[in-house]
Amino acid sequence: MTDTPTLPAVSREWHLLSRPVGWPKPEDFALVEAEVPQPGEGQVLVRNKYLSVDPYMRGRMSAAKSYVAPFELGKVMQGGAVGEVVASNAEGIFAGDHVLHFFGWREYAVVAGKNAVKVDPEAAPLSAYLGVLGMTGLTAYAGLLRTASFKQGDAVFVSGAAGAVGGQVGQIAKLKGASRVIGSAGSQEKVKLLVEEYGFDAAFNYKDGPVSEQLRAAAPDGIDVYFDNVGGDHLEAAIGSLNEGGRIAVCGMISVYNNTEPAPGPRNLARLIQTRGRIEGFLVGDHYDLQPQFVQEVAPWVASGELKYRETVVEGIENNLEAFLGVLRGDNTGKMIVKL
């Protein structure tokens, strides 16, 4: 085991105190101090440098049965993180290495060596491994290419298009020969970003009027693929504009995450019969076999500047909760990152 450097006596970490009803409230959480842990056999101690906050975390705050276990009350929460190894008792990982792992929401983490993925800070900024080259990037890649079966010439509509996943979906579609890419976002500034920087063919602010009307204007010839990050009226609008053989990949439905009553479903599902359309939900965890292919194809686009990305960076562990709430409000452009 490497020599352990001088470390602070305590590490700050966020605990879930109560399960939120509707919108999460500050009193549902607590920032507490914990003793800095030491790594055991096969483990490493990581000083986290960047933390990820993502919409799916809202689901883990609920006790409802889902695809992943809920956060435990009174215990530290989890999430993507990247940091520097400060002590190692794991083969092949050394102090000074940088690793990606899943023990965020804290300043220091003990991680099993087998669950720590070494990353190269020379190849890309560390924060990129939480976003454009990380789980959000793979989500975009797998959802568009595998779940939605994208093919050259498809017209693609992306909701939440200025978010970390949505922005990448639209750009990958363009790079792979989409005939038209349309995005929705929640501000004129984000709409401008989609068209002028990300290269979308059209974009609209969903707050400016009915989504179905704006989508029809932006895609008069219909759409072949809809990548859903929002649900609600966006999903209904996409079904209404779907061409024959159209595919819908459901990644997220942020518009309903804080509802206390079930949201009404799309009223036009019968149109799927006419279009022979398909709706399929997916989880990125089912597609990690694509990771090598994803990195091989996407990393050069990022390096060349062909695929652009934005990050919204919030400083300090004490602001981790506010950063998460900001994601639910749509405050972020691109990936929301907490820098420690």
Side-chain angles (χ1 to χ4, degrees):
M1 180 171 170
T2 59
D3 292 332
T4 303
T6 302
L7 299 173
V10 294
S11 168
R12 290 177 293 172
E13 57 187 37
W14 281 95
H15 288 200
L16 182 66
L17 299 185
S18 56
R19 302 208 180 277
V21 177
W23 275 87
K25 301 180 291 296
E27 52 266 33
D28 294 324
F29 309 85
L31 180 62
V32 305
E33 291 185 343
E35 191 175 329
V36 174
Q38 295 302 318
E41 186 67 32
Q43 296 180 326
V44 296
L45 175 63
V46 181
R47 179 191 288 117
N48 286 332
K49 291 192 169 184
Y50 294 93
L51 307 177
S52 178
V53 286
D54 302 280
Y56 79 85
M57 293 173 175
R58 177 62 185 88
R60 295 198 68 186
M61 294 171 187
S62 165
K65 184 176 175 61
S66 185
Y67 60 89
V68 65
F71 292 135
E72 293 185 58
L73 293 179
K75 297 196 176 173
V76 62
M77 295 184 289
Q78 298 173 337
V82 65
E84 182 180 357
V85 175
V86 293
S88 175
N89 203 8
E91 190 175 342
I93 302 178
F94 305 96
D97 286 344
H98 291 84
V99 296
L100 176 68
H101 62 90
F102 206 66
F103 293 92
W105 289 85
R106 69 200 83 186
E107 291 177 305
Y108 287 83
V110 165
V111 183
K114 64 181 181 180
N115 295 329
V117 178
K118 286 208 276 189
V119 297
D120 183 2
E122 300 298 321
L126 284 176
S127 57
Y129 293 103
L130 294 175
V132 66
L133 293 177
M135 185 176 73
T136 51
L138 180 59
T139 300
Y141 189 87
L144 177 68
L145 302 182
R146 179 176 279 174
T147 306
S149 305
F150 171 85
K151 59 184 185 297
Q152 188 174 351
D154 279 344
V156 178
F157 172 44
V158 188
S159 58
V165 173
Q168 209 156 336
V169 170
Q171 291 183 81
I172 291 172
K174 287 293 291 184
L175 286 163
K176 283 189 163 290
S179 61
R180 189 166 177 79
V181 174
I182 304 102
S184 72
S187 72
Q188 289 308 122
E189 185 179 44
K190 290 180 178 180
V191 167
K192 185 177 179 183
L193 168 75
L194 294 176
V195 175
E196 296 185 2
E197 189 169 325
Y198 287 178
F200 282 54
D201 297 289
F204 60 85
N205 182 346
Y206 66 84
K207 298 173 183 175
D208 284 350
V211 175
S212 57
E213 293 179 11
Q214 295 197 74
L215 178 57
R216 277 197 297 272
D221 295 324
I223 60 171
D224 303 296
V225 168
Y226 171 48
F227 193 104
D228 191 13
N229 291 305
V230 174
D233 55 355
H234 282 74
L235 178 56
E236 186 169 296
I239 293 170
S241 284
L242 206 62
N243 290 331
E244 186 174 314
R247 290 88 65 204
I248 295 174
V250 181
C251 175
M253 292 192 172
I254 198 168
S255 70
V256 303
Y257 286 170
N258 294 306
N259 288 6
T260 56
E261 297 293 330
R267 297 165 295 181
N268 57 349
L269 282 173
R271 196 166 184 279
L272 294 176
I273 303 168
Q274 172 192 341
T275 61
R276 282 77 110 194
R278 168 167 63 85
I279 301 179
E280 183 177 344
F282 76 98
L283 297 172
V284 66
D286 296 335
H287 302 282
Y288 282 128
D289 62 297
L290 288 177
Q291 180 77 22
Q293 175 185 324
F294 158 69
V295 172
Q296 184 179 13
E297 187 164 20
V298 174
W301 287 338
V302 174
S304 68
E306 291 175 274
L307 196 153
K308 299 172 175 60
Y309 68 99
R310 290 282 192 96
E311 293 175 341
T312 300
V313 180
V314 172
E315 301 259 355
I317 187 73
E318 64 277 8
N319 294 314
N320 210 99
L321 175 61
E322 182 56 28
F324 168 69
L325 296 175
V327 170
L328 297 183
R329 291 190 299 260
D331 294 351
N332 57 302
T333 298
K335 184 78 182 77
M336 182 72 91
I337 299 283
V338 179
K339 181 181 180 181
L340 304 189

